[in-house]
């Protein structure tokens, strides 16, 4: 990617360190046929990026970030729309930090969930914890089934 340095900076500033997969691993993983990284632009200005994993029924958003300089201008919604258009028959799955009014970033967590809900992605009321952080699974399917999520992960690690 021509803007790799800018994307790397956006990645590091958008996700807590404990939620970041080392970049060298992401760079290797993207060579798999089912893993894609895409940068999004407004003209020649980097707006954001998405790093996704595709399976037969699922499109899993591992990372989606919008540049702070253009946040709030609809670019995140455009990225979600692009993903839906590009993968029309896939259920979109992702995780976000679960709502927690006592968390240091409680407002950001709530904004993030509100953004996804505005873009047709539902809260599932399915949670898990990893590295001391509680996450909620979100899905583009209103009738989310936890077994589909679990099957995604089993299949991913079977390869």
């Amino acid at each position: 990617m021509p803007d790799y340095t800018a994307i790397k900076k956006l990645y590091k500033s958008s996700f807590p360190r404990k939620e970041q997969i080392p970049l060298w691993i992401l760079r290797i993983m993207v060579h798999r046929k089912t893993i894609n990284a895409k940068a999004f632009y407004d003209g020649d200005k980097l707006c954001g990026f998405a790093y996704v994993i595709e399976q037969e029924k699922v499109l899993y958003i591992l990372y989606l970030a919008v540049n702070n300089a253009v946040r709030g201008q609809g670019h995140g919604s455009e990225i979600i729309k692009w993903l839906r258009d590009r993968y029309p028959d896939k259920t979109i799955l992702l995780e976000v930090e679960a709502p927690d009014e006592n968390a240091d970033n409680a407002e950001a967590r709530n904004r993030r969930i509100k953004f996804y809900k505005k873009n047709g992605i539902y809260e599932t009321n399915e949670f898990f914890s990893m590295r001391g952080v509680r996450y909620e699974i979100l899905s583009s399917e209103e009738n989310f089934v936890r077994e589909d999520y679990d099957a995604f992960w089993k299949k991913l690690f079977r390869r």
Side-chain angles (χ1 to χ4, degrees), residues 1 7 26 30 35-40 49-52 82 87:
M1 290 184 176
I7 292 166
L26 293 177
V30 82
I35 298 177
N36 297 297
K38 173 135 176 77
F40 295 88
F49 73 89
Y51 193 100
V52 299
W82 186 89
Y87 304 95

Side-chain angles (χ1 to χ4, degrees), residues 109-126:
R109 291 177 183 212
N110 292 332
R111 273 195 321 266
R112 196 171 298 120
I113 290 170
K114 184 179 177 182
F115 161 76
Y116 283 113
K117 287 171 72 173
K118 178 182 90 170
N119 286 284
I121 300 188
Y122 302 94
E123 289 183 271
T124 64
N125 292 314
E126 290 283 343

Side-chain angles (χ1 to χ4, degrees), residues 1-85:
M1 290 184 176
D3 285 326
Y4 178 74
T5 302
I7 292 166
K8 179 177 161 181
K9 183 178 176 183
L10 178 57
Y11 171 72
K12 289 185 176 245
S13 68
S14 296
F15 302 98
R17 188 170 182 80
K18 62 183 165 187
E19 294 179 21
Q20 294 176 16
I21 295 172
L23 284 167
W24 68 269
I25 293 174
L26 293 177
R27 290 178 68 182
I28 291 170
M29 287 173 50
V30 82
H31 292 287
R32 292 179 75 175
K33 188 172 95 172
T34 59
I35 298 177
N36 297 297
K38 173 135 176 77
F40 295 88
Y41 295 86
D42 185 355
D44 60 349
K45 184 172 184 138
L46 176 68
C47 294
F49 73 89
Y51 193 100
V52 299
I53 302 170
E54 179 184 1
Q55 285 184 5
E56 184 178 314
K57 297 178 183 179
V58 171
L59 181 71
Y60 176 81
I61 300 175
L62 183 59
Y63 295 110
L64 188 154
V66 175
N67 188 337
N68 280 336
V70 297
R71 190 165 285 149
Q73 297 177 20
H75 296 294
S77 294
E78 289 177 19
I79 292 171
I80 295 289
K81 182 183 179 325
W82 186 89
L83 291 171
R84 284 181 177 276
D85 290 347

